[in-house]
Amino acid sequence: MPNDNAPFDGVEVRDTSKIAALDIGSNSFHLVVARVVAGSVQILHRVKQKVRLAQGLSSDYQLDDEAQQRGLDALNVVAESLQDFPAENVRIVATYTLRKARNAKAFIRAARDILPYPIEVIGGAEEARLIYLGVAHTNHDNGQRLVVDIGGGSTEFIIGQGFEPKMLRSLQMGCVSYTKKFFKNDELKSKSFERAITAAQQELEMIDKAYLRAGWKSCIGTSGTIRNIIQIAQNDSVKSTEGKVTLSQLTRLMKICCEAGTVNKLNISQMSEDRKPVFAAGLAILIAIFKSLDIEHMVFSTAALREGVLYEMETQLTHPDVRQRSAESLATRYDVDIEQARRVHSVTMDIYQQCKDSWNIASKELKSMLGWSALLHEVGLQINTHGTQRHSAYILQNIDLPGFNQEQQTLMATLVRYYRKKIRPSEIADFTLHPADHVHKLIAILRLGVLLNIKRQDDILPPIDIKVKSASIRVTFPEGWLENKPIFSADLATEERYLQALDLQLRYE
């Protein structure tokens, strides 16, 4: 009989933590809350809200008020499960619809009034990488595998082995967007299926040859769309193999849809009511994928994007920092002068340490983005020595950088765009997570880090002292040092004029 006074008194209590990941998808919002103990992630709680955010995305990429309100209402529901979670234990990622919506920032600002956590809009390749991470941690498989995730606005394709993704692509086809385009008025016609399948195969032309050349041993599907299709394929009328789906079974499902004629008349017991409106579009996309990639059969994985986010959050379960690998790969491809990058990084970080408290920019995120920017500020040098800062900014803004979300890439691109020469404040991006004055101060710090290393040599710069106030920065060199550096003094005088555009006063002595 248990001891009522001290039950489990002899059981060792391990350190645990609770983490949460929220996926703001184009079709649904998914929250997963987990407990991390002894290097293992244990799922405690899930919340799913059907939103169909992509339904409100117009042809000119404006997200309408009704869709935004549906999203905010869903976040109010989710917020109840996140009460008292510290910011570092919550990660929120947004995918296709907020990637595309030109007014996404308005929605994100409204969302911050409901959830006091940063919302990261991630690129398609980053979404694919996180999806694969979720699958890799929950599905053991030998050999190379293809992972497919059909979302509301986009579909992700990943070929990988073990924990390492090798090919990542995101194509603009999803069950919500294709419903709007090909299955209007809830009609289920064979001609609509043909048009949707053809359109999806046209999208797949961008990847099919490369993926077929790479090959795979197994094919795994994720997301609610594929789960629902495979569940329905277990129906005796479809005559499926348990746990798998084939092209012939998908074709049979399409025939059943066409025989029904409309969504309302579609009578399949395993299909939930909220999945019915987008089922046909998801089915058409999956048929196109099977045809273009010559897939024999597909199995389903319960893990997807949000699980990938959870596993990446827990450092005990991750491999070497993926951002480190991304930055190193980029530096290698563009032949970055590593010694100069290290000099600039060292001085930039030293300046940051002296400024961060007085300027109220003491943030792990800001420090990290400033550091990566210092290391990668010259990636554009290989394109042309004239306008290097513009080339560097373009690369950092547009290249696939696994581990970095869209706002992080934009912030780095902004910092390196203005690491030298004239500053145009009106062209600096508007950020949802960072106030403009913080961005301006980071630009000033990086500029000084570059300027103070203009000779590109070690052991030239003496110890310097930095003092800042709200709108000024004073650099003090050892007594008499500047007197013998007329060119360096002239560079500082020029920089003094440039920084006035950011309403910052530079003083030096």
Side-chain angles (χ1 to χ4, degrees):
M1 187 172 181
N3 183 343
D4 292 337
N5 295 324
F8 288 149
D9 199 29
V11 176
E12 177 187 357
V13 179
R14 302 190 185 192
D15 290 335
T16 64
S17 61
K18 282 175 65 178
I19 56 177
L22 174 60
D23 165 15
I24 298 181
S26 297
N27 190 35
S28 305
F29 291 5
H30 293 266
L31 173 71
V32 181
V33 177
R35 174 175 178 256
V36 180
V37 56
S40 174
V41 171
Q42 303 170 350
I43 304 298
L44 300 176
H45 180 53
R46 294 180 186 270
V47 177
K48 176 183 176 183
Q49 291 289 300
K50 189 66 67 177
V51 179
R52 297 213 172 91
L53 204 62
Q55 204 169 54
L57 194 62
S58 67
S59 58
D60 61 347
Y61 298 108
Q62 292 293 323
L63 190 59
D64 67 32
D65 292 341
E66 187 176 344
Q68 290 194 50
Q69 190 56 54
R70 289 198 303 271
L72 296 175
D73 290 343
L75 293 181
N76 272 306
V77 174
V78 168
E80 296 178 14
S81 299
L82 291 176
Q83 291 181 3
D84 301 323
F85 266 76
E88 62 269 19
N89 286 26
V90 178
R91 187 176 179 192
I92 304 175
V93 296
T95 57
Y96 175 83
T97 299
L98 292 186
R99 254 195 323 263
K100 291 295 181 181
R102 293 176 178 171
N103 57 338
K105 289 177 181 176
F107 175 82
I108 291 172
R109 290 191 183 98
R112 286 298 298 271
D113 292 335
I114 300 170
L115 291 173
Y117 308 107
I119 296 176
E120 306 174 38
V121 180
I122 58 175
E126 176 66 359
E127 181 180 357
R129 186 188 68 82
L130 289 169
I131 289 167
Y132 184 80
L133 191 62
V135 172
H137 273 96
T138 52
N139 292 263
H140 175 72
D141 204 348
N142 293 320
Q144 203 148 273
R145 54 190 164 189
L146 169 67
V147 177
V148 179
D149 185 294
I150 300 176
S154 64
T155 299
E156 281 64 49
F157 300 83
I158 312 97
I159 289 180
Q161 187 166 359
F163 291 102
E164 194 66 31
K166 296 181 178 180
M167 301 176 73
L168 301 164
R169 284 301 299 267
S170 177
L171 300 183
Q172 294 188 36
M173 52 188 195
C175 61
V176 177
S177 57
Y178 266 44
T179 298
K180 283 177 61 179
K181 192 171 184 180
F182 299 109
F183 297 94
K184 297 177 181 177
N185 304 318
D186 291 337
E187 293 181 347
L188 303 176
K189 298 179 179 179
S190 59
K191 185 173 291 187
S192 298
F193 271 100
E194 289 172 9
R195 290 175 58 229
I197 292 169
T198 299
Q201 286 191 284
Q202 287 176 315
E203 284 288 326
L204 282 156
E205 284 178 339
M206 293 188 287
I207 70 166
D208 53 8
K209 290 182 177 59
Y211 273 59
L212 286 166
R213 279 197 303 270
W216 54 86
K217 184 178 178 181
S218 60
C219 179
I220 299 172
T222 71
S223 79
T225 294
I226 293 176
R227 179 189 65 237
N228 198 226
I229 290 171
I230 291 181
Q231 285 175 341
I232 292 169
Q234 311 309 307
N235 189 295
D236 289 342
S237 65
V238 182
K239 298 181 175 62
S240 73
T241 302
E242 186 175 355
K244 297 180 180 179
V245 69
T246 65
L247 180 58
S248 63
Q249 292 150 16
L250 297 178
T251 303
R252 172 60 182 152
L253 282 176
M254 180 174 67
K255 185 178 179 181
I256 291 172
C257 289
C258 293
E259 288 172 350
T262 66
V263 170
N264 291 333
K265 293 181 180 179
L266 190 59
N267 185 21
I268 300 177
S269 59
Q270 294 92 337
M271 187 186 301
S272 61
E273 287 301 314
D274 66 347
R275 180 61 59 179
K276 268 188 179 181
V278 297
F279 178 79
L283 178 60
I285 292 170
L286 193 56
I287 289 172
I289 292 169
F290 266 70
K291 287 183 174 182
S292 292
L293 297 181
D294 195 22
I295 295 171
E296 292 183 9
H297 61 261
M298 175 183 286
V299 298
F300 176 70
S301 167
T302 57
L305 175 62
R306 51 246 174 223
E307 287 79 15
V309 172
L310 282 179
Y311 282 107
E312 184 154 86
M313 286 173 70
E314 179 44 51
T315 56
Q316 292 178 340
L317 299 177
T318 57
H319 297 280
D321 188 348
V322 66
R323 294 197 296 190
Q324 178 79 19
R325 296 203 307 270
S326 295
E328 289 175 353
S329 173
L330 190 62
T332 300
R333 275 182 284 169
Y334 287 90
D335 293 321
V336 166
D337 182 341
I338 300 301
E339 294 304 317
Q340 177 65 1
R342 288 172 177 162
R343 290 184 202 104
V344 172
H345 179 268
S346 176
V347 174
T348 300
M349 289 295 98
D350 182 52
I351 297 172
Y352 170 80
Q353 290 297 332
Q354 296 184 62
C355 295
K356 63 178 183 178
D357 294 326
S358 297
W359 267 356
N360 194 30
I361 53 173
S363 155
K364 182 179 179 181
E365 170 75 358
L366 293 179
K367 179 182 178 182
S368 179
M369 291 304 103
L370 179 62
W372 291 122
S373 300
L375 288 168
L376 297 170
H377 74 283
E378 287 190 333
V379 290
L381 191 61
Q382 192 185 69
I383 296 176
N384 199 317
T385 56
H386 179 70
T388 299
Q389 70 277 17
R390 294 193 300 274
H391 303 313
S392 294
Y394 181 84
I395 291 168
L396 288 174
Q397 180 68 75
N398 293 285
I399 201 167
D400 285 336
L401 274 180
F404 295 91
N405 61 49
Q406 280 192 333
E407 180 140 318
Q408 288 170 338
Q409 286 193 227
T410 300
L411 179 56
M412 290 191 299
T414 300
L415 299 185
V416 303
R417 170 63 182 86
Y418 296 107
Y419 83 77
R420 63 195 285 266
K421 300 294 184 179
K422 189 175 181 180
I423 304 169
R424 295 179 174 84
S426 62
E427 296 179 5
I428 294 176
D430 181 23
F431 294 89
T432 59
L433 303 180
H434 309 298
D437 70 303
H438 287 186
V439 178
H440 293 177
K441 287 166 181 174
L442 293 180
I443 290 173
I445 292 171
L446 179 59
R447 290 176 69 92
L448 284 174
V450 173
L451 176 60
L452 293 171
N453 284 282
I454 199 168
K455 294 295 186 182
R456 308 180 77 92
Q457 295 177 21
D458 293 326
D459 304 323
I460 287 182
L461 189 67
I464 58 175
D465 181 62
I466 306 288
K467 292 288 190 296
V468 298
K469 294 182 179 178
S470 60
S472 68
I473 179 167
R474 180 178 291 277
V475 184
T476 303
F477 296 90
E479 187 175 355
W481 190 83
L482 276 180
E483 295 176 6
N484 299 316
K485 302 289 188 298
I487 297 177
F488 198 84
S489 297
D491 289 336
L492 285 168
T494 302
E495 185 62 20
E496 181 182 352
R497 294 194 299 272
Y498 281 143
L499 288 181
Q500 288 174 2
L502 298 178
D503 295 324
L504 292 172
Q505 289 187 329
L506 172 65
R507 297 290 182 264
Y508 51 93
E509 58 187 19

